[in-house]
Amino acid sequence: MLRVAAVIASLFLHTAPVAAQSCTIDFIVVVTQGVGSIRPGEELTGHASYTVEGPSFRQEGGSTAHLATGQMSIGDSISGPIWTLMITSEGPTADLIGIYANHVEGLTVAGIEFEGPMTINLFGRPGTRPDPAPPTRQEEFDRMDLRRSFSLQAHGRDMLAGNVTRLTAVCT
């Protein structure tokens, strides 16, 4: 009976809310796939501010989703609300810190308004992240140096993509 209680308790550990944590991230995207007047090689300034305040739950492939609120923007006019952070750790594949925005607005190409999500994905070698908790220090973001990517997708395809550079994070 004690063993069953321990299993049930461990299930609730994965779904319990994370204490509210706020972060502000500034970064540069060096465009690798442009769209419209945004060309490869161009540098776009990005900014994300979010608060992790919802429940956390396990996802496929060993990732943990942390619900969040906030805003991500890139360039002069492209922005959308942040809705989740995805963290992958302690698995056989690359560790991940992913920041995801949805309902992005501000990009129109050839008269078609952008529709889709925008993401920053920071990858580290397996074991870089000690646990699936959201990062709270600059060093945690810095260790994710295997690949750092940005993508803004529309209609099921990448519309704008690039490499994330010069990322600074302040969390409280």
Side-chain angles (χ1 to χ4, degrees):
M1 189 60 115
L2 187 57
R3 189 173 182 175
V4 172
V7 170
I8 291 171
S10 72
L11 291 174
F12 285 107
L13 290 176
H14 292 295
T15 59
V18 172
Q21 168 201 320
S22 297
C23 292
T24 299
I25 299 172
D26 292 301
F27 56 95
I28 301 293
V29 172
V30 178
V31 175
T32 56
Q33 179 177 328
V35 62
S37 63
I38 303 171
R39 298 289 179 215
E42 187 174 338
E43 291 187 356
L44 299 174
T45 301
H47 177 80
S49 293
Y50 62 85
T51 300
V52 176
E53 55 188 17
S56 298
F57 46 92
R58 295 292 283 180
Q59 297 287 293
E60 294 178 13
S63 293
T64 300
H66 301 278
L67 297 182
T69 59
Q71 192 77 10
M72 186 184 318
S73 62
I74 187 152
D76 294 331
S77 61
I78 303 167
S79 67
I82 292 174
W83 65 280
T84 192
L85 271 66
M86 293 294 282
I87 309 293
T88 302
S89 66
E90 301 176 327
T93 62
D95 286 358
L96 165 71
I97 297 172
I99 303 169
Y100 298 91
N102 58 4
H103 304 296
V104 175
E105 298 177 342
L107 178 61
T108 301
V109 178
I112 299 172
E113 290 187 29
F114 170 81
E115 297 173 6
M118 178 167 57
T119 69
I120 297 173
N121 291 297
L122 309 175
F123 297 94
R125 288 165 185 74
T128 302
R129 297 276 319 139
D131 58 53
T136 59
R137 296 182 326 275
Q138 179 70 42
E139 301 81 42
E140 293 177 84
F141 289 94
D142 291 345
R143 284 194 298 264
M144 306 301 282
D145 62 359
L146 186 60
R147 183 167 187 260
R148 297 169 152 238
S149 64
F150 167 85
S151 68
L152 185 132
Q153 301 173 6
H155 309 292
R157 295 181 215 108
D158 283 345
M159 286 253 330
L160 179 62
N163 297 316
V164 174
T165 64
R166 295 182 283 199
L167 184 140
T168 58
V170 176
C171 299
T172 56

